[in-house]
Amino acid sequence: MCAENGLVCGMGLLVVGGLAAAAEPGRLAMECLHGATWRFGGALGERIQANTARWLLVAPKNNPGLLDMFAKRDKGPKPNLVPWAGEFVGKYLISGVQAMRMSDDPRLRETLAAVVNRLGELQAEDGYLGPWPKAERLLGHWDLWGHYHVMFGLLLWHEHTGDEKALIACRRMADLICNTYLDTKRRVLDAGSHEMNMSVIHGLALLYHKTKEPRYLRMAEEIVKDFEHAGDYFRTGLAGVEFFRTPRPRWESLHAVQGLAELYLITGDERFRRAFLHHWASIRRFDMRNTGGFSSGEQATGNPYADSPIETCCVIAWQAVMMDALRLTGDPAIADDIELATFNAIAGAQHPSGEWCTYDTPMNGKRVPSHVAINFQARPDTPHLNCCSVNGPRGFGALSEWAVMSRGSGLAVNFYGPMQLQTKLADGTAVTLKQEGDYPIGDSTKLTVDLSKPHAFPLALRIPAWSAKTEVLLNGKAVPGVKAGTYLELAREWRSGDAVTLRFDMALRHEVGDVEQYGKASFYRGPLLLAHDEQMAKGQGKFRPWLLMDVPVPGGPTLKLCDFASAGANGGPYRSWLPATGLRPPAPVPWLPADGARVPPGAIRFSFRKPAPAAVGGASLPREPVGGASLPRDTRRHTVAISDAPDFARAILSYGEAAKPPLILPASEATKLKPNTPYYWKLVARNANGATESLAPHKHFVVDPTLPPAPDVPETQYGERPKDSAIVIAPLKGDPKPEWGQLKTADGWKAAPGPDGKPNGSVELDGQAGRITYALTEFPDRDFTVAIWVCVNALPKTQYGQVFSAWCKGMDDPLRLVVHVARHSVAEKDSRPGGAAHEGKLHARIEAGQFFGTDGWPVEVGKWVHVATVKEGAKLTLYINGQAHSTAKVPESVASSAEDFALGGNPHFGGPEFLSCRLADLRFFARALSADEAREASAHWTAKQ
Ligand SMILES: [Zn+2]
């Protein structure tokens, strides 16, 4: 156990918080080396030096607003800043201190010392250290988020230099946070921008480690309570909700989730560890890109194949989460992932010049400097500052935290490549580790140990899972028992000059794409992802790749590929997903039952990420970009394997042949499972070319005989009725109960006459709280139809009133039939016959990252009308009384997180979107009705006006 670990242990006993403090504090499997000196050579070493010379040393003087924005906060006009501008100096400082551990350049220390000293001068009397006016301190913007980054930066500076003033400044910031939000009428939740501002929990927990100040821990605990009203990270983590399905799956949330890991270390409460590790594993399963990076349009979506932006800040946050997961578990697979992210997503985000990094480092595309791509963040005195430019350098700085870590009484080597480390073992013995060679361009590294006198300690060497055959020589003699995907522990008495040579298996590997990348593969050599960049392949341009090699693509030509980090460095386009044929299936991704779920006895429904529509015959087959030939139809089939051991040492059963989800384990098979016993499950996808298994860590479930039997959901993807694809059929004849489907809630309704005027022919919703919700297995992603009779009683007083809405979170509403009230100018009003103050139009709309929708149909209050909307691939049509009214172009496929929908209001949004109306005859199908069918649906009632 390292010194830092011991410190944490000591503090665990002093917990005075409201949470049940366990007797034992949390345990770490590995920890960062504190006070170590690092030097890196080779390809990454050059990048680290370029970052220091061309960014860290020059950014403050080229961007004086970095600090001036704090000086100006209460002078002159209202600050013209992006809401997060206060973070810039904190992010800069974090990567600056990390770089100091890896550099002996005196100018770096001087530059940073000047920044820290000026920061100290700019701190207000009350401890405030942000860019906003006095009346607004910590109350809004992303001000707490900014304070989190500045506190973290000052804390690292204090740890590295021993500067007590920095720690005092940090404490004063935390004191102001407590004075504002602890035992006052305000809560951190009230500051808004929740995923950002609640992330200060991580800074408070770190500062508690350092200071033992009980108020900081109590403040952190209060933020855990606030989670329940915003990101809900703790409860969703314990419930096994996939991160992309949590209420706030944006990347900033990852720093709030880091707070859970620190709370585990402080309190020893295992629930914090479990919730944190669940979210880490969920992102690994569902959202990790082929580059090792994370995010799709700044958040988790459950689909790592989309050509959406991969933001540098998101990769940095993901790397931080992975490092915490590695500290907690010591799982070498995580170190493999960090290596992958470092050599590809992170090195790819930084331009080889060291002058800039990207906002987006796409899998296929171009590298654009962040000060160009997101220049809306720039100001005249901060031309190069934006969230990513100041954050990206942390990706390399993190090497000083994960490359070699303490592990028990010894060390774990996670990083390979030319480097030198001077550190101390837990017992205080000084050790120098040196690596030589040109890994990962070459295939081997030579690690030498240097000690003042012989000393026994265990040295653990990461054997990457991707290196099928690794040779390890200790002082020239082969070491037996080397196993991929483990740490090879060499426990012995080490002497100066002892050398270990590792030779890795650099055979070309590939990963298979799915969804948007179906029919394509990504190629790897060692930890390096390869990409095709025409300029690099032809030897054009100033910047040369680390590696250029001829790769035979399955079913295709031989291509000249370069390392992903260098791709695009000369400005040209590149691709890392390349068309290929004869591929085995992509790795399947298990979804439900949720990790740790208790399931009732009987049949068990297993779901997993849907394969590309083309893979299961659900859509037209895509054409290859080159040649135009149709891809062969995939024949993949999925099997579930169940074991009572997480490593699948004993197989209990294996079942299934499902092309797409769900895979139902029949009750006759499920009886082989003992009640109240954890069972682990994984999926195996097979086709004619081979088999692929789902990624570890594997989920588990327990059969709970006390639970009522599961509702009888048919073995169809959306729980739809096999004969007609109906998802919900609710006649609404004076009763919300459906004939098919599952009612969740019904409020503010009464029975009312229907379109034919007869009593009990509809339900009436009051426009105040009236709302009926129905459960969904999932919302159909491609084709569907919703048809319903509607009579609007009164236009909504607010802007929107929902006939139908499946809204589940910002920019995720796979369908809404909404009455939108547009307010007109006086002149416009006067020109209208009747002079209506406003009018309502009924639209069919989709919110999926952006808005899509049909033109509106003018609502006539008090009149029954039949409304049907049909989505067929990329076309959304609105029918009124059986006639097509308008169509809109929409995304062919929409991956929504909706698990229910509402009539008469928005099922989840807090704002008032209720509609006073009568509704009858709801029909919701998982298929596109034809125009004739839509007409027919409107015909069976003669509407009485
Ligand atoms: Zn950013």
Side-chain angles (χ1 to χ4, degrees):
M1 194 178 281
C2 73
E4 189 69 10
N5 212 346
L7 200 60
V8 171
C9 296
M11 280 187 285
L13 304 171
L14 294 167
V15 172
V16 192
L19 294 168
E24 289 280 315
R27 284 176 198 283
L28 287 173
M30 286 186 189
E31 181 54 311
C32 309
L33 298 169
H34 295 268
T37 305
W38 307 79
R39 297 292 179 269
F40 290 87
L44 279 193
E46 283 172 23
R47 294 292 201 92
I48 291 166
Q49 280 166 22
N51 174 57
T52 298
R54 301 212 181 81
W55 172 255
L56 292 171
L57 288 178
V58 296
K61 66 177 174 234
N62 291 346
N63 299 275
L66 178 72
L67 289 153
D68 287 353
M69 71 171 78
F70 294 80
K72 289 177 189 162
R73 63 187 167 228
D74 291 310
K75 293 174 189 152
K78 202 171 151 55
N80 168 27
L81 299 168
V82 290
W84 50 92
E87 70 173 25
F88 295 160
V89 70
K91 284 180 170 178
Y92 167 82
L93 190 57
I94 293 165
S95 64
V97 177
Q98 290 172 325
M100 283 172 71
R101 303 171 184 150
M102 308 188 293
S103 166
D104 48 17
D105 189 334
R107 295 172 303 166
L108 183 57
R109 192 186 181 101
E110 284 161 26
T111 306
L112 292 175
V115 168
V116 172
N117 290 338
R118 179 99 193 280
L119 261 181
E121 290 163 17
L122 293 168
Q123 189 166 31
E125 289 280 284
D126 61 1
Y128 182 70
L129 201 34
W132 303 104
K134 194 163 186 178
E136 298 173 10
R137 286 180 184 175
L138 297 185
L139 301 181
H141 308 287
W142 296 21
D143 214 4
L144 286 160
W145 163 266
H147 277 63
Y148 161 48
H149 284 90
V150 175
M151 283 165 61
F152 194 9
L154 288 172
L155 205 51
L156 293 182
W157 172 263
H158 162 73
E159 284 172 359
H160 188 76
T161 64
D163 178 357
E164 283 299 321
K165 290 203 302 292
L167 181 60
I168 292 166
C170 194
R171 289 193 67 140
R172 289 178 62 211
M173 294 173 81
D175 290 341
L176 179 64
I177 293 168
C178 293
N179 292 341
T180 309
Y181 290 109
L182 188 63
D183 305 327
T184 68
K185 286 184 182 142
R186 290 197 180 98
R187 300 196 63 84
V188 163
L189 188 75
D190 302 331
S193 302
H194 299 121
E195 49 276 69
M196 303 82 188
N197 285 327
M198 295 192 310
S199 290
V200 79
I201 188 175
H202 184 224
L204 290 163
L206 292 172
L207 193 58
Y208 175 80
H209 277 320
K210 180 65 60 189
T211 62
K212 304 170 198 150
E213 169 56 54
R215 288 215 301 166
Y216 304 157
L217 180 57
R218 279 180 52 222
M219 187 73 253
E221 290 164 0
E222 289 301 318
I223 296 174
V224 174
K225 291 180 198 162
D226 282 347
F227 282 174
E228 296 187 8
H229 305 284
D232 217 1
Y233 315 111
F234 187 37
R235 294 190 304 187
T236 56
L238 292 175
V241 177
E242 296 303 341
F243 182 72
F244 72 95
R245 285 240 166 165
T246 62
R248 302 293 168 93
R250 277 187 62 87
W251 71 272
E252 293 91 347
S253 294
L254 270 59
H255 292 298
V257 167
Q258 282 192 276
L260 297 175
E262 293 303 322
L263 283 177
Y264 160 70
L265 294 177
I266 293 167
T267 65
D269 184 337
E270 282 287 333
R271 295 175 308 157
F272 290 122
R273 182 182 195 272
R274 194 146 44 90
F276 170 82
L277 288 175
H278 165 75
H279 290 312
W280 156 74
S282 177
I283 293 174
R284 182 172 204 255
R285 282 183 203 112
F286 272 97
D287 278 283
M288 193 164 74
R289 301 285 200 152
N290 67 340
T291 62
F294 156 71
S295 77
S296 305
E298 306 187 1
Q299 62 181 341
T301 62
N303 174 10
Y305 299 110
D307 281 315
S308 47
I310 304 174
E311 187 190 349
T312 298
C313 285
C314 311
V315 178
I316 297 303
W318 170 230
Q319 187 192 33
V321 165
M322 288 193 287
M323 291 195 297
D324 281 345
L326 179 60
R327 291 164 71 217
L328 290 177
T329 64
D331 179 348
I334 303 172
D336 286 358
D337 290 349
I338 301 174
E339 178 187 54
L340 178 73
T342 303
F343 278 114
N344 302 290
I346 288 163
Q350 191 211 40
H351 191 255
S353 67
E355 288 185 4
W356 53 266
C357 71
T358 63
Y359 159 76
D360 170 25
T361 310
M363 304 185 294
N364 306 315
K366 286 185 175 187
R367 306 275 161 88
V368 179
S370 56
H371 58 265
V372 174
I374 47 173
N375 73 345
F376 72 94
Q377 299 192 30
R379 294 293 178 273
D381 60 351
T382 54
H384 308 130
L385 299 192
N386 54 68
C387 59
C388 291
S389 67
V390 287
N391 215 9
R394 261 182 87 170
F396 290 136
L399 279 165
S400 64
E401 293 164 12
W402 70 270
V404 180
M405 295 172 83
S406 66
R407 181 179 185 264
S409 59
L411 297 171
V413 179
N414 292 314
F415 173 82
Y416 296 115
M419 65 164 300
Q420 188 171 316
L421 162 70
Q422 287 172 281
T423 189
K424 285 189 174 133
L425 300 175
D427 63 8
T429 307
V431 184
T432 299
L433 291 186
K434 193 172 168 185
Q435 287 188 57
E436 296 162 288
D438 61 350
Y439 178 92
I441 321 304
D443 65 357
S444 57
T445 189
K446 182 182 174 192
L447 188 151
T448 322
V449 180
D450 196 12
L451 292 149
S452 60
K453 59 177 195 292
H455 189 74
F457 69 92
L459 184 65
L461 304 170
R462 176 177 65 95
I463 308 299
W466 52 258
S467 179
K469 283 182 210 140
T470 308
E471 282 173 32
V472 180
L473 301 176
L474 173 59
N475 294 329
K477 275 181 65 180
V479 178
V482 180
K483 198 173 159 216
T486 63
Y487 282 101
L488 174 69
E489 191 174 284
L490 302 176
R492 63 193 293 274
E493 188 177 79
W494 293 94
R495 294 162 183 272
S496 271
D498 280 345
V500 184
T501 304
L502 295 104
R503 186 180 303 279
F504 301 99
D505 185 346
M506 297 298 223
L508 199 68
R509 298 171 286 126
H510 66 270
E511 296 291 334
V512 181
D514 204 353
V515 201
E516 285 89 341
Q517 311 302 339
Y518 176 66
K520 303 192 184 89
S522 282
F523 295 85
Y524 296 85
R525 184 179 177 279
L528 298 181
L529 171 64
L530 304 177
H532 182 68
D533 174 331
E534 196 65 28
Q535 282 178 311
M536 290 289 181
K538 288 181 173 158
Q540 297 165 344
K542 177 174 185 276
F543 296 98
R544 303 304 311 136
W546 293 343
L547 179 76
L548 196 60
M549 61 187 292
D550 291 312
V551 174
V553 174
T558 295
L559 283 174
K560 220 174 240 322
L561 302 183
C562 68
D563 59 284
F564 179 84
S566 305
N570 293 310
Y574 63 87
R575 302 189 63 82
S576 68
W577 285 107
L578 301 161
T581 55
L583 298 171
R584 65 177 189 277
V589 184
W591 192 338
L592 297 171
D595 197 16
R598 303 186 78 79
V599 302
I604 305 174
R605 183 186 174 98
F606 293 93
S607 72
F608 47 96
R609 178 161 60 209
K610 260 174 286 174
V616 292
S620 57
L621 295 172
R623 294 192 167 264
E624 283 189 46
V626 186
S630 279
L631 293 169
R633 183 149 297 181
D634 198 340
T635 54
R636 84 179 94 149
R637 292 289 180 272
H638 300 83
T639 303
V640 62
I642 297 175
S643 170
D644 58 2
D647 61 358
F648 284 76
R650 290 173 301 276
I652 302 289
L653 63 87
S654 173
Y655 184 87
E657 263 293 286
K660 57 184 178 180
L663 189 161
I664 312 277
L665 184 74
S668 57
E669 286 288 317
T671 53
K672 294 175 186 166
L673 305 174
K674 285 181 237 153
N676 297 314
T677 306
Y679 285 104
Y680 296 83
W681 62 288
K682 65 180 176 184
L683 292 167
V684 185
R686 284 190 183 82
N687 68 10
N689 304 307
T692 314
E693 288 191 359
S694 52
L695 274 182
H698 301 294
K699 295 184 179 191
H700 71 279
F701 63 90
V702 167
V703 178
D704 183 345
T706 66
L707 290 174
D712 200 12
V713 180
E715 295 182 21
T716 52
Q717 186 168 354
Y718 308 108
E720 74 269 28
R721 189 160 61 184
K723 68 169 182 183
D724 62 356
S725 303
I727 295 177
V728 178
I729 299 291
L732 302 176
K733 290 193 169 176
D735 186 349
K737 216 161 69 218
E739 171 188 307
W740 181 263
Q742 202 187 330
L743 178 69
K744 265 177 96 170
T745 63
D747 299 293
W749 67 276
K750 64 179 185 191
D756 55 3
K758 291 187 185 150
N760 287 331
S762 72
V763 295
E764 182 168 310
L765 293 158
D766 64 12
Q768 306 290 322
R771 183 166 57 189
I772 300 170
T773 58
Y774 298 94
L776 293 173
T777 340
E778 68 180 293
F779 206 96
D781 57 341
R782 190 178 187 275
D783 297 340
F784 58 80
T785 300
V786 171
I788 190 167
W789 284 91
V790 183
C791 174
V792 175
N793 291 340
L795 291 179
K797 292 198 179 64
T798 54
Q799 211 178 0
Y800 301 107
Q802 308 289 352
V803 173
F804 176 110
S805 169
W807 190 93
C808 59
K809 62 185 180 224
M811 278 298 137
D812 185 354
D813 190 341
L815 179 70
R816 52 175 48 193
L817 289 167
V818 58
V819 175
H820 184 170
V821 178
R823 290 171 203 287
H824 298 286
S825 69
V826 175
E828 205 181 337
K829 179 178 98 181
D830 290 348
S831 71
R832 274 162 194 277
H838 59 272
E839 65 168 14
K841 284 187 175 177
L842 180 87
H843 303 256
R845 288 180 175 162
I846 291 174
E847 294 181 14
Q850 53 174 303
F851 298 103
F852 304 91
T854 65
D855 287 343
W857 176 79
V859 170
E860 291 178 73
V861 171
K863 279 198 175 176
W864 278 102
V865 61
H866 186 262
V867 178
T869 189
V870 177
K871 183 175 181 296
E872 185 174 18
K875 190 169 131 188
L876 183 69
T877 307
L878 176 66
Y879 291 89
I880 301 293
N881 290 329
Q883 299 298 316
H885 171 74
S886 57
T887 63
K889 198 170 164 359
V890 295
E892 171 152 351
S893 185
V894 173
S896 170
S897 298
E899 289 173 333
D900 55 20
F901 69 90
L903 301 179
N906 185 314
H908 300 286
F909 182 64
E913 295 189 354
F914 295 101
L915 183 69
S916 170
C917 61
R918 293 179 186 185
L919 302 172
D921 196 19
L922 168 71
R923 303 183 198 191
F924 182 6
F925 299 99
R927 67 185 179 92
L929 258 57
S930 67
D932 283 348
E933 287 174 310
R935 197 159 35 245
E936 204 179 298
S938 71
H940 91 279
W941 242 328
T942 312
K944 225 181 213 173
Q945 302 301 332

